[in-house]
PDB file of all heavy atoms in Angstrom:
ATOM      1  N   HIS J 272     -57.870  60.504 122.923  1.00 98.00           N
ATOM      2  CA  HIS J 272     -59.250  60.980 122.950  1.00 98.00           C
ATOM      3  C   HIS J 272     -59.498  62.096 123.964  1.00 98.00           C
ATOM      4  O   HIS J 272     -60.560  62.719 123.934  1.00 98.00           O
ATOM      5  CB  HIS J 272     -60.199  59.812 123.284  1.00 98.00           C
ATOM      6  CG  HIS J 272     -60.377  58.842 122.163  1.00 98.00           C
ATOM      7  ND1 HIS J 272     -59.561  57.742 121.988  1.00 98.00           N
ATOM      8  CD2 HIS J 272     -61.282  58.808 121.158  1.00 98.00           C
ATOM      9  CE1 HIS J 272     -59.971  57.062 120.922  1.00 98.00           C
ATOM     10  NE2 HIS J 272     -61.007  57.679 120.401  1.00 98.00           N
ATOM     11  N   LEU J 273     -58.545  62.337 124.853  1.00 98.00           N
ATOM     12  CA  LEU J 273     -58.811  63.211 125.990  1.00 98.00           C
ATOM     13  C   LEU J 273     -58.405  64.653 125.729  1.00 98.00           C
ATOM     14  O   LEU J 273     -57.382  64.931 125.095  1.00 98.00           O
ATOM     15  CB  LEU J 273     -58.066  62.707 127.222  1.00 98.00           C
ATOM     16  CG  LEU J 273     -58.651  61.461 127.892  1.00 98.00           C
ATOM     17  CD1 LEU J 273     -57.658  60.896 128.909  1.00 98.00           C
ATOM     18  CD2 LEU J 273     -59.981  61.784 128.576  1.00 98.00           C
ATOM     19  N   ALA J 274     -59.192  65.553 126.286  1.00 97.00           N
ATOM     20  CA  ALA J 274     -58.803  66.954 126.345  1.00 97.00           C
ATOM     21  C   ALA J 274     -57.667  67.104 127.346  1.00 97.00           C
ATOM     22  O   ALA J 274     -57.488  66.254 128.223  1.00 97.00           O
ATOM     23  CB  ALA J 274     -60.009  67.804 126.769  1.00 97.00           C
ATOM     24  N   PRO J 275     -56.878  68.180 127.250  1.00 96.00           N
ATOM     25  CA  PRO J 275     -55.822  68.399 128.246  1.00 96.00           C
ATOM     26  C   PRO J 275     -56.390  68.369 129.663  1.00 96.00           C
ATOM     27  O   PRO J 275     -57.418  68.971 129.944  1.00 96.00           O
ATOM     28  CB  PRO J 275     -55.292  69.790 127.888  1.00 96.00           C
ATOM     29  CG  PRO J 275     -55.576  69.926 126.419  1.00 96.00           C
ATOM     30  CD  PRO J 275     -56.883  69.223 126.201  1.00 96.00           C
ATOM     31  N   GLY J 276     -55.721  67.619 130.551  1.00 97.00           N
ATOM     32  CA  GLY J 276     -56.219  67.480 131.913  1.00 97.00           C
ATOM     33  C   GLY J 276     -57.272  66.410 132.078  1.00 97.00           C
ATOM     34  O   GLY J 276     -57.762  66.179 133.190  1.00 97.00           O
ATOM     35  N   GLY J 277     -57.633  65.730 130.983  1.00 98.00           N
ATOM     36  CA  GLY J 277     -58.632  64.677 131.046  1.00 98.00           C
ATOM     37  C   GLY J 277     -58.127  63.465 131.803  1.00 98.00           C
ATOM     38  O   GLY J 277     -56.923  63.302 132.037  1.00 98.00           O
ATOM     39  N   ARG J 278     -59.039  62.585 132.178  1.00 98.00           N
ATOM     40  CA  ARG J 278     -58.700  61.446 133.030  1.00 98.00           C
ATOM     41  C   ARG J 278     -59.019  60.112 132.358  1.00 98.00           C
ATOM     42  O   ARG J 278     -60.002  59.996 131.624  1.00 98.00           O
ATOM     43  CB  ARG J 278     -59.468  61.532 134.346  1.00 98.00           C
ATOM     44  CG  ARG J 278     -59.088  62.724 135.227  1.00 98.00           C
ATOM     45  CD  ARG J 278     -59.947  62.734 136.473  1.00 98.00           C
ATOM     46  NE  ARG J 278     -59.531  63.755 137.433  1.00 98.00           N
ATOM     47  CZ  ARG J 278     -60.060  64.974 137.492  1.00 98.00           C
ATOM     48  NH1 ARG J 278     -61.001  65.337 136.636  1.00 98.00           N
ATOM     49  NH2 ARG J 278     -59.646  65.827 138.408  1.00 98.00           N
ATOM     50  N   PHE J 279     -58.193  59.141 132.668  1.00 98.00           N
ATOM     51  CA  PHE J 279     -58.387  57.751 132.250  1.00 98.00           C
ATOM     52  C   PHE J 279     -58.511  56.922 133.522  1.00 98.00           C
ATOM     53  O   PHE J 279     -57.619  56.932 134.372  1.00 98.00           O
ATOM     54  CB  PHE J 279     -57.203  57.286 131.414  1.00 98.00           C
ATOM     55  CG  PHE J 279     -57.315  55.885 130.851  1.00 98.00           C
ATOM     56  CD1 PHE J 279     -58.545  55.331 130.514  1.00 98.00           C
ATOM     57  CD2 PHE J 279     -56.175  55.127 130.626  1.00 98.00           C
ATOM     58  CE1 PHE J 279     -58.638  54.051 129.977  1.00 98.00           C
ATOM     59  CE2 PHE J 279     -56.244  53.851 130.088  1.00 98.00           C
ATOM     60  CZ  PHE J 279     -57.486  53.312 129.768  1.00 98.00           C
ATOM     61  N   VAL J 280     -59.621  56.207 133.668  1.00 98.00           N
ATOM     62  CA  VAL J 280     -59.904  55.435 134.875  1.00 98.00           C
ATOM     63  C   VAL J 280     -59.877  53.945 134.537  1.00 98.00           C
ATOM     64  O   VAL J 280     -60.523  53.513 133.566  1.00 98.00           O
ATOM     65  CB  VAL J 280     -61.269  55.817 135.477  1.00 98.00           C
ATOM     66  CG1 VAL J 280     -61.546  55.005 136.741  1.00 98.00           C
ATOM     67  CG2 VAL J 280     -61.317  57.307 135.787  1.00 98.00           C
ATOM     68  N   ILE J 281     -59.146  53.187 135.343  1.00 98.00           N
ATOM     69  CA  ILE J 281     -59.044  51.740 135.152  1.00 98.00           C
ATOM     70  C   ILE J 281     -59.414  51.033 136.448  1.00 98.00           C
ATOM     71  O   ILE J 281     -58.902  51.364 137.512  1.00 98.00           O
ATOM     72  CB  ILE J 281     -57.622  51.329 134.728  1.00 98.00           C
ATOM     73  CG1 ILE J 281     -57.310  51.871 133.329  1.00 98.00           C
ATOM     74  CG2 ILE J 281     -57.462  49.813 134.747  1.00 98.00           C
ATOM     75  CD1 ILE J 281     -55.923  51.523 132.840  1.00 98.00           C
ATOM     76  N   GLU J 282     -60.304  50.045 136.331  1.00 98.00           N
ATOM     77  CA  GLU J 282     -60.624  49.137 137.443  1.00 98.00           C
ATOM     78  C   GLU J 282     -59.968  47.799 137.151  1.00 98.00           C
ATOM     79  O   GLU J 282     -60.176  47.221 136.079  1.00 98.00           O
ATOM     80  CB  GLU J 282     -62.141  48.969 137.564  1.00 98.00           C
ATOM     81  CG  GLU J 282     -62.572  48.007 138.654  1.00 98.00           C
ATOM     82  CD  GLU J 282     -64.069  47.746 138.652  1.00 98.00           C
ATOM     83  OE1 GLU J 282     -64.717  47.981 137.607  1.00 98.00           O
ATOM     84  OE2 GLU J 282     -64.584  47.285 139.690  1.00 98.00           O
ATOM     85  N   LEU J 283     -59.169  47.305 138.095  1.00 98.00           N
ATOM     86  CA  LEU J 283     -58.368  46.114 137.813  1.00 98.00           C
ATOM     87  C   LEU J 283     -58.109  45.329 139.096  1.00 98.00           C
ATOM     88  O   LEU J 283     -57.954  45.913 140.169  1.00 98.00           O
ATOM     89  CB  LEU J 283     -57.034  46.543 137.197  1.00 98.00           C
ATOM     90  CG  LEU J 283     -56.101  45.449 136.675  1.00 98.00           C
ATOM     91  CD1 LEU J 283     -56.754  44.619 135.585  1.00 98.00           C
ATOM     92  CD2 LEU J 283     -54.804  46.065 136.171  1.00 98.00           C
ATOM     93  N   TRP J 284     -58.028  44.001 138.953  1.00 96.00           N
ATOM     94  CA  TRP J 284     -57.734  43.174 140.112  1.00 96.00           C
ATOM     95  C   TRP J 284     -56.228  43.094 140.338  1.00 96.00           C
ATOM     96  O   TRP J 284     -55.424  43.321 139.432  1.00 96.00           O
ATOM     97  CB  TRP J 284     -58.349  41.796 139.924  1.00 96.00           C
ATOM     98  CG  TRP J 284     -57.458  40.681 139.477  1.00 96.00           C
ATOM     99  CD1 TRP J 284     -56.890  39.729 140.262  1.00 96.00           C
ATOM    100  CD2 TRP J 284     -57.018  40.380 138.132  1.00 96.00           C
ATOM    101  NE1 TRP J 284     -56.143  38.855 139.487  1.00 96.00           N
ATOM    102  CE2 TRP J 284     -56.207  39.225 138.197  1.00 96.00           C
ATOM    103  CE3 TRP J 284     -57.252  40.979 136.880  1.00 96.00           C
ATOM    104  CZ2 TRP J 284     -55.610  38.673 137.065  1.00 96.00           C
ATOM    105  CZ3 TRP J 284     -56.671  40.435 135.757  1.00 96.00           C
ATOM    106  CH2 TRP J 284     -55.860  39.288 135.867  1.00 96.00           C
ATOM    107  N   VAL J 285     -55.866  42.779 141.583  1.00 96.00           N
ATOM    108  CA  VAL J 285     -54.470  42.603 141.957  1.00 96.00           C
ATOM    109  C   VAL J 285     -54.143  41.113 141.887  1.00 96.00           C
ATOM    110  O   VAL J 285     -54.839  40.300 142.506  1.00 96.00           O
ATOM    111  CB  VAL J 285     -54.200  43.127 143.384  1.00 96.00           C
ATOM    112  CG1 VAL J 285     -52.744  42.869 143.779  1.00 96.00           C
ATOM    113  CG2 VAL J 285     -54.534  44.614 143.478  1.00 96.00           C
ATOM    114  N   PRO J 286     -53.121  40.720 141.136  1.00 93.00           N
ATOM    115  CA  PRO J 286     -52.774  39.289 141.040  1.00 93.00           C
ATOM    116  C   PRO J 286     -52.521  38.700 142.419  1.00 93.00           C
ATOM    117  O   PRO J 286     -51.811  39.283 143.239  1.00 93.00           O
ATOM    118  CB  PRO J 286     -51.500  39.295 140.188  1.00 93.00           C
ATOM    119  CG  PRO J 286     -51.516  40.594 139.463  1.00 93.00           C
ATOM    120  CD  PRO J 286     -52.222  41.568 140.344  1.00 93.00           C
ATOM    121  N   GLU J 287     -53.078  37.521 142.667  1.00 89.00           N
ATOM    122  CA  GLU J 287     -52.992  36.918 143.993  1.00 89.00           C
ATOM    123  C   GLU J 287     -51.830  35.922 144.075  1.00 89.00           C
ATOM    124  O   GLU J 287     -51.987  34.774 144.505  1.00 89.00           O
ATOM    125  CB  GLU J 287     -54.319  36.242 144.348  1.00 89.00           C
ATOM    126  CG  GLU J 287     -55.470  37.241 144.431  1.00 89.00           C
ATOM    127  CD  GLU J 287     -56.705  36.639 145.067  1.00 89.00           C
ATOM    128  OE1 GLU J 287     -57.493  36.033 144.331  1.00 89.00           O
ATOM    129  OE2 GLU J 287     -56.865  36.764 146.292  1.00 89.00           O
ATOM    130  N   LEU J 288     -50.665  36.388 143.683  1.00 89.00           N
ATOM    131  CA  LEU J 288     -49.507  35.496 143.650  1.00 89.00           C
ATOM    132  C   LEU J 288     -49.041  35.090 145.044  1.00 89.00           C
ATOM    133  O   LEU J 288     -48.373  34.062 145.208  1.00 89.00           O
ATOM    134  CB  LEU J 288     -48.360  36.167 142.892  1.00 89.00           C
ATOM    135  CG  LEU J 288     -48.604  36.440 141.405  1.00 89.00           C
ATOM    136  CD1 LEU J 288     -47.346  36.991 140.760  1.00 89.00           C
ATOM    137  CD2 LEU J 288     -49.058  35.195 140.677  1.00 89.00           C
ATOM    138  N   ARG J 289     -49.388  35.868 146.061  1.00 88.00           N
ATOM    139  CA  ARG J 289     -48.982  35.489 147.415  1.00 88.00           C
ATOM    140  C   ARG J 289     -49.671  34.206 147.876  1.00 88.00           C
ATOM    141  O   ARG J 289     -49.230  33.565 148.835  1.00 88.00           O
ATOM    142  CB  ARG J 289     -49.293  36.628 148.390  1.00 88.00           C
ATOM    143  CG  ARG J 289     -48.381  37.838 148.217  1.00 88.00           C
ATOM    144  CD  ARG J 289     -48.538  38.819 149.359  1.00 88.00           C
ATOM    145  NE  ARG J 289     -49.886  39.350 149.453  1.00 88.00           N
ATOM    146  CZ  ARG J 289     -50.315  40.120 150.440  1.00 88.00           C
ATOM    147  NH1 ARG J 289     -49.511  40.432 151.433  1.00 88.00           N
ATOM    148  NH2 ARG J 289     -51.554  40.593 150.438  1.00 88.00           N
ATOM    149  N   LYS J 290     -50.750  33.830 147.191  1.00 88.00           N
ATOM    150  CA  LYS J 290     -51.446  32.595 147.527  1.00 88.00           C
ATOM    151  C   LYS J 290     -50.873  31.378 146.813  1.00 88.00           C
ATOM    152  O   LYS J 290     -51.358  30.260 147.004  1.00 88.00           O
ATOM    153  CB  LYS J 290     -52.938  32.729 147.190  1.00 88.00           C
ATOM    154  CG  LYS J 290     -53.687  33.730 148.057  1.00 88.00           C
ATOM    155  CD  LYS J 290     -55.159  33.720 147.722  1.00 88.00           C
ATOM    156  CE  LYS J 290     -55.943  34.667 148.623  1.00 88.00           C
ATOM    157  NZ  LYS J 290     -57.397  34.649 148.299  1.00 88.00           N
ATOM    158  N   LEU J 291     -49.872  31.593 145.968  1.00 89.00           N
ATOM    159  CA  LEU J 291     -49.296  30.495 145.188  1.00 89.00           C
ATOM    160  C   LEU J 291     -48.009  29.993 145.829  1.00 89.00           C
ATOM    161  O   LEU J 291     -46.950  30.601 145.673  1.00 89.00           O
ATOM    162  CB  LEU J 291     -48.981  30.970 143.766  1.00 89.00           C
ATOM    163  CG  LEU J 291     -50.109  31.015 142.743  1.00 89.00           C
ATOM    164  CD1 LEU J 291     -49.570  31.556 141.423  1.00 89.00           C
ATOM    165  CD2 LEU J 291     -50.741  29.654 142.537  1.00 89.00           C
ATOM    166  N   PRO J 292     -48.044  28.869 146.549  1.00 87.00           N
ATOM    167  CA  PRO J 292     -46.796  28.284 147.039  1.00 87.00           C
ATOM    168  C   PRO J 292     -46.043  27.654 145.875  1.00 87.00           C
ATOM    169  O   PRO J 292     -46.606  27.404 144.811  1.00 87.00           O
ATOM    170  CB  PRO J 292     -47.280  27.222 148.029  1.00 87.00           C
ATOM    171  CG  PRO J 292     -48.647  26.851 147.562  1.00 87.00           C
ATOM    172  CD  PRO J 292     -49.229  28.104 146.964  1.00 87.00           C
ATOM    173  N   PRO J 293     -44.739  27.397 146.033  1.00 87.00           N
ATOM    174  CA  PRO J 293     -43.966  26.772 144.952  1.00 87.00           C
ATOM    175  C   PRO J 293     -44.622  25.488 144.457  1.00 87.00           C
ATOM    176  O   PRO J 293     -45.026  24.637 145.248  1.00 87.00           O
ATOM    177  CB  PRO J 293     -42.608  26.490 145.617  1.00 87.00           C
ATOM    178  CG  PRO J 293     -42.512  27.521 146.690  1.00 87.00           C
ATOM    179  CD  PRO J 293     -43.904  27.694 147.211  1.00 87.00           C
ATOM    180  N   GLY J 294     -44.737  25.391 143.136  1.00 87.00           N
ATOM    181  CA  GLY J 294     -45.307  24.200 142.533  1.00 87.00           C
ATOM    182  C   GLY J 294     -46.804  24.237 142.326  1.00 87.00           C
ATOM    183  O   GLY J 294     -47.360  23.379 141.634  1.00 87.00           O
ATOM    184  N   GLN J 295     -47.494  25.214 142.920  1.00 88.00           N
ATOM    185  CA  GLN J 295     -48.940  25.326 142.738  1.00 88.00           C
ATOM    186  C   GLN J 295     -49.245  26.344 141.657  1.00 88.00           C
ATOM    187  O   GLN J 295     -48.648  27.431 141.629  1.00 88.00           O
ATOM    188  CB  GLN J 295     -49.617  25.743 144.051  1.00 88.00           C
ATOM    189  CG  GLN J 295     -51.139  25.852 143.947  1.00 88.00           C
ATOM    190  CD  GLN J 295     -51.780  26.119 145.294  1.00 88.00           C
ATOM    191  OE1 GLN J 295     -51.449  25.462 146.282  1.00 88.00           O
ATOM    192  NE2 GLN J 295     -52.674  27.093 145.343  1.00 88.00           N
ATOM    193  N   GLU J 296     -50.170  26.039 140.766  1.00 90.00           N
ATOM    194  CA  GLU J 296     -50.454  26.915 139.631  1.00 90.00           C
ATOM    195  C   GLU J 296     -51.835  27.554 139.688  1.00 90.00           C
ATOM    196  O   GLU J 296     -52.133  28.425 138.870  1.00 90.00           O
ATOM    197  CB  GLU J 296     -50.336  26.131 138.318  1.00 90.00           C
ATOM    198  CG  GLU J 296     -48.933  25.600 138.042  1.00 90.00           C
ATOM    199  CD  GLU J 296     -48.842  24.882 136.718  1.00 90.00           C
ATOM    200  OE1 GLU J 296     -49.881  24.776 136.029  1.00 90.00           O
ATOM    201  OE2 GLU J 296     -47.744  24.428 136.362  1.00 90.00           O
ATOM    202  N   ALA J 297     -52.683  27.158 140.635  1.00 92.00           N
ATOM    203  CA  ALA J 297     -54.066  27.642 140.642  1.00 92.00           C
ATOM    204  C   ALA J 297     -54.433  28.262 141.986  1.00 92.00           C
ATOM    205  O   ALA J 297     -53.934  27.855 143.038  1.00 92.00           O
ATOM    206  CB  ALA J 297     -55.031  26.500 140.323  1.00 92.00           C
ATOM    207  N   VAL J 298     -55.309  29.262 141.916  1.00 92.00           N
ATOM    208  CA  VAL J 298     -55.872  29.919 143.098  1.00 92.00           C
ATOM    209  C   VAL J 298     -57.384  29.903 142.979  1.00 92.00           C
ATOM    210  O   VAL J 298     -57.941  30.350 141.958  1.00 92.00           O
ATOM    211  CB  VAL J 298     -55.387  31.378 143.221  1.00 92.00           C
ATOM    212  CG1 VAL J 298     -56.164  32.117 144.305  1.00 92.00           C
ATOM    213  CG2 VAL J 298     -53.897  31.424 143.523  1.00 92.00           C
ATOM    214  N   VAL J 299     -58.070  29.384 143.984  1.00 94.00           N
ATOM    215  CA  VAL J 299     -59.532  29.467 144.037  1.00 94.00           C
ATOM    216  C   VAL J 299     -59.883  30.810 144.663  1.00 94.00           C
ATOM    217  O   VAL J 299     -59.503  31.103 145.791  1.00 94.00           O
ATOM    218  CB  VAL J 299     -60.134  28.315 144.866  1.00 94.00           C
ATOM    219  CG1 VAL J 299     -61.649  28.475 144.980  1.00 94.00           C
ATOM    220  CG2 VAL J 299     -59.785  26.972 144.237  1.00 94.00           C
ATOM    221  N   TRP J 300     -60.595  31.646 143.911  1.00 89.00           N
ATOM    222  CA  TRP J 300     -60.853  32.998 144.404  1.00 89.00           C
ATOM    223  C   TRP J 300     -62.313  33.240 144.799  1.00 89.00           C
ATOM    224  O   TRP J 300     -62.629  34.247 145.421  1.00 89.00           O
ATOM    225  CB  TRP J 300     -60.420  34.047 143.379  1.00 89.00           C
ATOM    226  CG  TRP J 300     -60.948  33.860 141.989  1.00 89.00           C
ATOM    227  CD1 TRP J 300     -60.355  33.168 140.982  1.00 89.00           C
ATOM    228  CD2 TRP J 300     -62.163  34.384 141.448  1.00 89.00           C
ATOM    229  NE1 TRP J 300     -61.132  33.212 139.841  1.00 89.00           N
ATOM    230  CE2 TRP J 300     -62.251  33.969 140.103  1.00 89.00           C
ATOM    231  CE3 TRP J 300     -63.195  35.174 141.958  1.00 89.00           C
ATOM    232  CZ2 TRP J 300     -63.312  34.304 139.275  1.00 89.00           C
ATOM    233  CZ3 TRP J 300     -64.251  35.516 141.127  1.00 89.00           C
ATOM    234  CH2 TRP J 300     -64.297  35.076 139.804  1.00 89.00           C
ATOM    235  N   GLN J 301     -63.193  32.306 144.476  1.00 92.00           N
ATOM    236  CA  GLN J 301     -64.577  32.465 144.919  1.00 92.00           C
ATOM    237  C   GLN J 301     -65.276  31.110 144.942  1.00 92.00           C
ATOM    238  O   GLN J 301     -65.145  30.325 143.997  1.00 92.00           O
ATOM    239  CB  GLN J 301     -65.347  33.428 144.008  1.00 92.00           C
ATOM    240  CG  GLN J 301     -66.752  33.754 144.501  1.00 92.00           C
ATOM    241  CD  GLN J 301     -67.383  34.887 143.705  1.00 92.00           C
ATOM    242  OE1 GLN J 301     -66.709  35.629 143.003  1.00 92.00           O
ATOM    243  NE2 GLN J 301     -68.694  35.019 143.802  1.00 92.00           N
ATOM    244  N   ILE J 302     -66.006  30.863 146.027  1.00 95.00           N
ATOM    245  CA  ILE J 302     -66.861  29.687 146.145  1.00 95.00           C
ATOM    246  C   ILE J 302     -68.190  30.149 146.731  1.00 95.00           C
ATOM    247  O   ILE J 302     -68.224  30.809 147.770  1.00 95.00           O
ATOM    248  CB  ILE J 302     -66.247  28.602 147.055  1.00 95.00           C
ATOM    249  CG1 ILE J 302     -64.929  28.089 146.477  1.00 95.00           C
ATOM    250  CG2 ILE J 302     -67.217  27.440 147.221  1.00 95.00           C
ATOM    251  CD1 ILE J 302     -64.242  27.074 147.368  1.00 95.00           C
ATOM    252  N   GLU J 303     -69.265  29.834 146.040  1.00 92.00           N
ATOM    253  CA  GLU J 303     -70.607  30.147 146.522  1.00 92.00           C
ATOM    254  C   GLU J 303     -71.552  29.092 145.960  1.00 92.00           C
ATOM    255  O   GLU J 303     -71.164  28.329 145.058  1.00 92.00           O
ATOM    256  CB  GLU J 303     -71.040  31.550 146.104  1.00 92.00           C
ATOM    257  CG  GLU J 303     -71.063  31.779 144.607  1.00 92.00           C
ATOM    258  CD  GLU J 303     -71.390  33.208 144.226  1.00 92.00           C
ATOM    259  OE1 GLU J 303     -70.855  34.134 144.882  1.00 92.00           O
ATOM    260  OE2 GLU J 303     -72.170  33.401 143.270  1.00 92.00           O
ATOM    261  N   PRO J 304     -72.760  28.987 146.481  1.00 93.00           N
ATOM    262  CA  PRO J 304     -73.681  27.965 145.972  1.00 93.00           C
ATOM    263  C   PRO J 304     -73.853  28.060 144.454  1.00 93.00           C
ATOM    264  O   PRO J 304     -74.197  29.105 143.916  1.00 93.00           O
ATOM    265  CB  PRO J 304     -74.981  28.287 146.705  1.00 93.00           C
ATOM    266  CG  PRO J 304     -74.540  28.932 147.983  1.00 93.00           C
ATOM    267  CD  PRO J 304     -73.340  29.738 147.617  1.00 93.00           C
ATOM    268  N   GLY J 305     -73.549  26.967 143.773  1.00 94.00           N
ATOM    269  CA  GLY J 305     -73.710  26.902 142.325  1.00 94.00           C
ATOM    270  C   GLY J 305     -72.559  27.470 141.524  1.00 94.00           C
ATOM    271  O   GLY J 305     -72.623  27.502 140.292  1.00 94.00           O
ATOM    272  N   TYR J 306     -71.458  27.912 142.192  1.00 94.00           N
ATOM    273  CA  TYR J 306     -70.373  28.550 141.444  1.00 94.00           C
ATOM    274  C   TYR J 306     -69.030  28.360 142.142  1.00 94.00           C
ATOM    275  O   TYR J 306     -68.917  28.495 143.359  1.00 94.00           O
ATOM    276  CB  TYR J 306     -70.632  30.051 141.292  1.00 94.00           C
ATOM    277  CG  TYR J 306     -69.515  30.779 140.590  1.00 94.00           C
ATOM    278  CD1 TYR J 306     -69.391  30.740 139.209  1.00 94.00           C
ATOM    279  CD2 TYR J 306     -68.574  31.501 141.310  1.00 94.00           C
ATOM    280  CE1 TYR J 306     -68.358  31.398 138.568  1.00 94.00           C
ATOM    281  CE2 TYR J 306     -67.531  32.158 140.684  1.00 94.00           C
ATOM    282  CZ  TYR J 306     -67.430  32.102 139.307  1.00 94.00           C
ATOM    283  OH  TYR J 306     -66.398  32.747 138.664  1.00 94.00           O
ATOM    284  N   ILE J 307     -68.000  28.054 141.352  1.00 96.00           N
ATOM    285  CA  ILE J 307     -66.608  28.046 141.798  1.00 96.00           C
ATOM    286  C   ILE J 307     -65.793  28.808 140.768  1.00 96.00           C
ATOM    287  O   ILE J 307     -65.890  28.548 139.564  1.00 96.00           O
ATOM    288  CB  ILE J 307     -66.049  26.619 141.943  1.00 96.00           C
ATOM    289  CG1 ILE J 307     -66.839  25.823 142.976  1.00 96.00           C
ATOM    290  CG2 ILE J 307     -64.569  26.657 142.325  1.00 96.00           C
ATOM    291  CD1 ILE J 307     -66.453  24.354 143.023  1.00 96.00           C
ATOM    292  N   GLY J 308     -64.979  29.770 141.233  1.00 94.00           N
ATOM    293  CA  GLY J 308     -64.087  30.509 140.350  1.00 94.00           C
ATOM    294  C   GLY J 308     -62.648  30.260 140.735  1.00 94.00           C
ATOM    295  O   GLY J 308     -62.285  30.348 141.918  1.00 94.00           O
TER     296      GLY J 308
END
């Protein structure tokens, strides 16, 4: 879709694998009143 020299911009999260010790499969990334992610 782009003209020559056109740009493609992506916003993306970085996988938080450094928070995963061996044997653990889940990372809690947000806790606030009324919400857990």
Side-chain angles (χ1 to χ4, degrees):
H272 287 90
L273 286 168
R278 295 178 173 94
F279 183 31
V280 180
I281 293 179
E282 178 186 21
L283 187 60
W284 100 99
V285 177
E287 297 192 273
L288 295 185
R289 289 191 299 173
K290 293 184 177 180
L291 278 178
Q295 181 174 313
E296 297 182 359
V298 170
V299 176
W300 52 269
Q301 186 170 343
I302 298 177
E303 59 185 42
Y306 177 79
I307 299 172

